[in-house]
Amino acid sequence: MSRRQAGPPGEPRRIAYVYIAPALLVFGLFFLTPLVHAVWLSLYEWDGLSVGRWVGLDNYRLVLTDDALREPFLHALTLIVFFSIIPCALGLALASMITRSAVRGVNFFRTVLFLPQVVALVVVAVAWRQIFAPDGPLNDFLRTVGLGDVARGWLGDERYALICIGVVGIWVCTGLCVVLFLAGLSKVPRELYEAARLDGAGPIREFITISVPAVRGELAVALTLTLVAAMRTFDLVYVMTSGGPGTSSRVPAYEVWDRAINKGQVGVGVTIALVLTAFILLCTVLINRLSESADS
Amino acid sequence: MTSRRTRWAGAATVAALLFASACAPGSDNKKDSDEPANVKTDVAKMGKLTLTVWDQEVRGGQAEQIAALNKQFMDKYPNVTIKRVSRSFDDLRKTLRLAITDDKAPDVVQANNGRSDMGQFVKAGLLRSLEPYNKAYKWSDRYPESVRALASYTEDGKTFGAGNLYGLPQAGELVGLWYNKAKLSKLGIEVPTTLTDFEAALAKAKQAGETPIQFGNLDAWPGIHTFGFVQNQFVPRDDIRNLGFGRKGASWTSAENEKAATTFADWVKKGYFTKDFNGLGYDPAWQDFAKGKGVFLPAGTWLLADLKKALGDDLGFALPPVGDSGKQAVTGGTGLPFAITEASKHADAAGAYINFITSPEAMKLIAKAGNLPVTDVDSAGTTGAQKEVFDAWTKATGDDALVPYLDYATPDFYDLLTAQVQKLGSGSEKPKSFLDNLEKEYTTFTASNGG
């Protein structure tokens, strides 16, 4: 890196700090301080009212060993499949299909696909809750096509509640992926595809050799965004199932809210939030590393 | 590298500073009991002052009623200004914790009765015992024991339902049996007062192709009410009281509770509840009942206004049937009690204010606003379902039949019970294991709480 040897601007260092001081101040005040404060809180057993009791790393031990607290994290992993992996795969397929066949009115479809991203998640949750209701459109449809036996109160079934939330995740996240990948694919010169076709490549071969490598950067972005969306899912669970039935759709973000606000276990709640943050950080670093190493 | 190192150094400094301050979060609010030996009751002589009141009376009739009372109070005592802060129940619950620990805490707050709210506030020394005011204003004469118990804690906050009075509610509520009169007469059923009658009515309704009991449990908390409704019929009310207040002396695995859980599961199997109730929301469920679907709806009296608007004269209300326990029991409680904060500088004025908004005259206003007053319920002048609700309340409080909500028991009981009732309803938890799970939490808590 040659930046360090470079002379002015930015030398001497002290001057440089003056330039970034406002940004540092904001960062320190609004991002660093709360984080440090959270770490500090996580070392206490505190009900939010009376004096907290120092418990050291007990909260962390609890979060990592308690079955009731591990379950939400497992659910979050399940949601990653629905929010991240499926939408990315679907998005890639849709985007390359749209690019290949030069659909008329592609902008219209792009907008429609992106729309779920724009709607507030609480609204999305209310709408889907009605779709999944025992007398809702989904069951009506199943009954009309003669699958009445399959119809059920979807969100009230321990086996399906989490999957239903996942399905909404697919609906929300796919559009974002498609739009990202379309942008990535539009950078690929037409000639590349023509050359590949002259060499006898079919659609699948084209997809694997040209399209996928071309959108690697976008894939990293899409994976990061959707993964974060999956891990911090709260609104959908809060409105659609309140973590139920039983505990079958409790997720870490819901647990944070429940512990800290409802039950007066601020320490445990904050610890879950920190563990979640660490996990998300780890995932994003990992994704970035992978996409960078693929670049070189 | 320098920049990175400096940044970490900066972060470390912040951290070190915080640790160096070495104070645990929260502050010690416990003060020496400085309750005045003599409560001053003459508000006019207290000088000019402002009372800050946080309430959650935001819906229709409630908002009007409290605004009218505040105005009357200020008209009567021109030296007092009432600063009213009103929020919805959820918002109040979330912000009250911060407000009440503040130096400038409001004088009067409406606090939720349960352990996770009022119990913790009492434990942390943030609320005043109202006993001196109870004595001065003779509230014990106006408020029956079972109602006062719902806002009473021992000073350490450990025992619920006994000890000092910490709040006084305005409104009452019951979880009873709503029914559709038109359907009952069509099916040829009398309003059931015993379990035997009720089960016969359910069977008859089912046979006629009706939904016998309207129930939606997607939101999980209605399960507490519906299970409680069944439990009321089997378990002696003192046992339910101990279980609800989280005291020693009762057991979830008792034969009576087993009967209740088995009956609940049995009714599910027989199709007495709405199909797929775990997937149906609370609002859609009572709205369906309001539209004429379903014969019975075990639910709270707070639905009175909405149901009456839809069903009119077809709406009826009764106390839960009496079953094997032989004695009437009904889950019920009060609206959120009004409490005085420890930080209040005008506690005597606050006491007078609470006395004023719960006076017999105030109760008349509450009834007129279409709500159920907690005392001095006078059903004369009311008709139909409202009269039935008022009469039910008078009978339940007079007969000491009121039992608390079951989720009051322990700080974790809400989550546990709602999840367990959903599982009991779906059949994934058998009555035996359902009760074992509840018993485990209950005994663990009572043992550690020493209550």
Side-chain angles (χ1 to χ4, degrees):
Chain A
M1 297 294 267
S2 60
R3 214 187 306 147
R4 283 191 63 200
Q5 279 83 37
E11 286 296 338
R13 285 270 153 159
R14 265 164 294 151
I15 303 286
Y17 282 124
V18 177
Y19 282 113
I20 57 169
L24 266 185
L25 193 75
V26 170
F27 178 76
L29 260 178
F30 294 105
F31 298 95
L32 219 51
T33 321
L35 188 66
V36 174
H37 191 73
V39 172
W40 174 61
L41 281 179
S42 72
L43 303 173
Y44 284 89
E45 182 189 312
W46 186 41
D47 59 4
L49 295 168
S50 40
V51 184
R53 194 168 65 85
W54 171 269
V55 292
L57 293 176
D58 274 6
N59 285 334
Y60 291 91
R61 213 165 293 143
L62 192 73
V63 171
L64 298 177
T65 54
D66 189 353
D67 285 341
L69 288 173
R70 239 177 341 177
E71 193 193 7
F73 282 95
L74 291 178
H75 291 160
L77 290 182
T78 315
L79 285 187
I80 290 180
V81 175
F82 287 95
F83 278 67
S84 205
I85 295 173
I86 296 179
C88 281
L90 265 179
L92 263 179
L94 277 173
S96 59
M97 258 157 38
I98 292 174
T99 320
R100 264 183 72 87
S101 49
V103 190
R104 262 170 172 243
V106 69
N107 277 331
F108 172 75
F109 292 113
R110 194 155 41 183
T111 313
V112 171
L113 277 169
F114 192 72
L115 269 181
Q117 279 287 321
V118 183
V119 185
L121 272 183
V122 174
V123 180
V124 170
V126 172
W128 277 90
R129 183 174 146 136
Q130 276 161 17
I131 293 174
F132 287 125
D135 287 326
L138 176 61
N139 284 331
D140 283 347
F141 171 76
L142 288 173
R143 286 185 197 108
T144 335
V145 297
L147 288 171
D149 292 346
V150 189
R152 64 186 74 232
W154 292 95
L155 296 174
D157 197 310
E158 283 164 69
R159 286 164 297 176
Y160 299 110
L162 190 66
I163 297 175
C164 287
I165 292 169
V167 169
V168 182
I170 299 179
W171 182 75
V172 171
C173 291
T174 304
L176 175 77
C177 295
V178 171
V179 171
L180 276 172
F181 297 150
L182 275 178
L185 287 175
S186 68
K187 291 181 307 196
V188 184
R190 300 274 93 199
E191 294 81 23
L192 259 181
Y193 286 106
E194 277 163 29
R197 246 168 264 174
L198 281 179
D199 286 344
I204 293 175
R205 184 78 228 181
E206 270 177 44
F207 178 72
I208 293 171
T209 10
I210 305 177
S211 305
V212 174
V215 296
R216 205 165 41 214
E218 284 78 8
L219 188 63
V221 173
L223 269 177
T224 312
L225 285 177
T226 51
L227 200 109
V228 172
M231 299 297 295
R232 57 146 213 233
T233 301
F234 171 79
D235 340 34
L236 293 181
V237 171
Y238 179 79
V239 175
M240 286 171 71
T241 62
S242 345
T247 51
S248 60
S249 63
R250 287 182 86 99
V251 291
Y254 185 86
E255 200 74 41
V256 171
W257 168 79
D258 187 44
R259 299 274 170 162
I261 305 283
N262 277 350
K263 288 196 191 142
Q265 301 175 358
V266 179
V268 180
V270 168
T271 310
I272 300 170
L274 284 172
V275 171
L276 187 65
T277 311
F279 189 76
I280 291 178
L281 208 65
L282 188 79
C283 287
T284 49
V285 166
L286 220 65
I287 292 171
N288 280 333
R289 278 282 156 79
L290 282 178
S291 77
E292 270 167 23
S293 66
D295 269 340
S296 55
Chain B
M1 278 318 276
T2 337
S3 74
R4 180 169 290 183
R5 201 177 300 150
T6 330
R7 195 169 346 133
W8 283 115
T13 322
V14 177
L17 272 174
L18 273 168
F19 282 108
S21 62
C23 60
S27 54
D28 199 349
N29 295 294
K30 277 220 159 93
K31 287 173 193 144
D32 295 330
S33 189
D34 54 355
E35 280 154 18
N38 287 311
V39 171
K40 278 180 263 168
T41 55
D42 194 350
V43 182
K45 282 192 192 138
M46 289 179 192
K48 215 165 171 52
L49 59 94
T50 302
L51 271 188
T52 310
V53 180
W54 279 35
D55 67 51
Q56 55 105 39
E57 310 288 318
V58 289
R59 279 172 299 169
Q62 295 177 337
E64 282 161 41
Q65 163 265 110
I66 195 89
L69 285 172
N70 284 349
K71 190 173 173 306
Q72 282 179 15
F73 189 77
M74 284 189 282
D75 286 347
K76 193 170 171 194
Y77 305 109
N79 56 325
V80 178
T81 314
I82 292 171
K83 202 175 133 213
R84 179 178 176 221
V85 180
S86 76
R87 285 155 204 247
S88 73
F89 172 66
D90 278 339
D91 288 346
L92 184 81
R93 260 199 90 182
K94 279 170 204 144
T95 47
L96 194 54
R97 279 172 175 272
L98 287 173
I100 203 171
T101 45
D102 196 82
D103 285 341
K104 289 186 189 127
D107 298 284
V108 177
V109 296
Q110 237 180 327
N112 199 22
N113 315 52
R115 277 179 195 278
S116 52
D117 293 276
M118 187 177 260
Q120 287 193 0
F121 296 160
V122 170
K123 201 171 172 183
L126 294 164
L127 294 180
R128 274 169 203 257
S129 157
L130 298 187
E131 285 308 329
Y133 304 104
N134 182 6
K135 243 173 262 150
Y137 294 110
K138 301 197 169 53
W139 287 340
S140 293
D141 296 348
R142 290 217 312 265
Y143 280 72
E145 163 77 38
S146 57
V147 170
R148 276 181 287 130
L150 291 171
S152 292
Y153 282 90
T154 50
E155 207 157 321
D156 55 8
K158 279 185 172 175
T159 309
F160 185 11
N164 295 334
L165 184 69
Y166 281 95
L168 212 54
Q170 275 190 310
E173 58 191 43
L174 287 174
V175 179
L177 186 64
W178 295 103
Y179 56 88
N180 188 322
K181 283 182 185 164
K183 295 214 180 226
L184 283 196
S185 62
K186 207 174 107 199
L187 294 166
I189 313 173
E190 294 280 306
V191 180
T193 53
T194 66
L195 176 65
T196 324
D197 290 351
F198 188 49
E199 284 196 309
L202 294 176
K204 212 165 179 180
K206 179 74 195 166
Q207 234 165 28
E210 296 274 1
T211 301
I213 299 176
Q214 193 55 254
F215 180 37
N217 200 26
L218 178 56
D219 302 281
W221 59 265
I224 297 174
H225 297 172
T226 308
F227 179 75
F229 176 84
V230 179
Q231 191 195 29
N232 285 343
Q233 302 170 43
F234 293 94
V235 184
R237 53 198 187 195
D238 281 335
D239 283 359
I240 303 180
R241 228 165 259 161
N242 282 333
L243 292 172
F245 284 133
R247 293 193 201 131
K248 277 183 185 148
S251 163
W252 273 103
T253 48
S254 69
E256 292 98 344
N257 271 311
E258 202 167 329
K259 200 81 197 293
T262 315
T263 305
F264 184 88
D266 196 35
W267 287 0
V268 175
K269 257 184 241 132
K270 286 182 177 157
Y272 288 171
F273 294 108
T274 317
K275 198 169 174 294
D276 293 327
F277 53 80
N278 273 345
L280 182 69
Y282 173 73
D283 287 332
W286 72 252
Q287 282 157 2
D288 277 350
F289 178 78
K291 282 179 209 149
K293 276 192 215 165
V295 182
F296 297 106
L297 172 76
T301 47
W302 52 85
L303 289 175
L304 174 64
D306 289 311
L307 291 178
K308 197 161 165 75
K309 211 192 289 170
L311 284 171
D313 291 339
D314 283 345
L315 180 68
F317 182 84
L319 289 170
V322 179
D324 294 4
S325 72
K327 258 186 170 177
Q328 181 82 62
V330 53
T331 308
T334 64
L336 267 52
F338 286 81
I340 306 178
T341 59
E342 184 63 51
S344 170
K345 293 190 178 63
H346 311 294
D348 283 348
Y353 171 75
I354 293 179
N355 184 54
F356 186 84
I357 59 169
T358 55
S359 67
E361 295 76 44
M363 293 300 158
K364 281 200 189 89
L365 252 174
I366 294 166
K368 225 173 95 188
N371 296 309
L372 172 64
V374 69
T375 63
D376 301 279
V377 177
D378 186 5
S379 61
T382 56
T383 54
Q386 193 181 18
K387 183 172 160 39
E388 283 163 0
V389 167
F390 280 26
D391 288 344
W393 176 260
T394 310
K395 187 164 172 245
T397 48
D399 186 29
D400 195 28
L402 225 51
V403 294
Y405 293 103
L406 296 168
D407 57 304
Y408 284 171
T410 81
D412 285 340
F413 221 70
Y414 175 87
D415 277 345
L416 180 69
L417 184 61
T418 50
Q420 288 295 316
V421 173
Q422 280 183 328
K423 287 183 173 177
L424 180 68
S426 72
S428 68
E429 203 76 83
K430 298 279 163 264
K432 182 85 178 57
S433 53
F434 164 80
L435 294 170
D436 284 343
N437 292 334
L438 297 180
E439 176 80 356
K440 206 173 124 209
E441 163 74 16
Y442 171 71
T443 48
T444 312
F445 176 78
T446 49
S448 73
N449 194 45

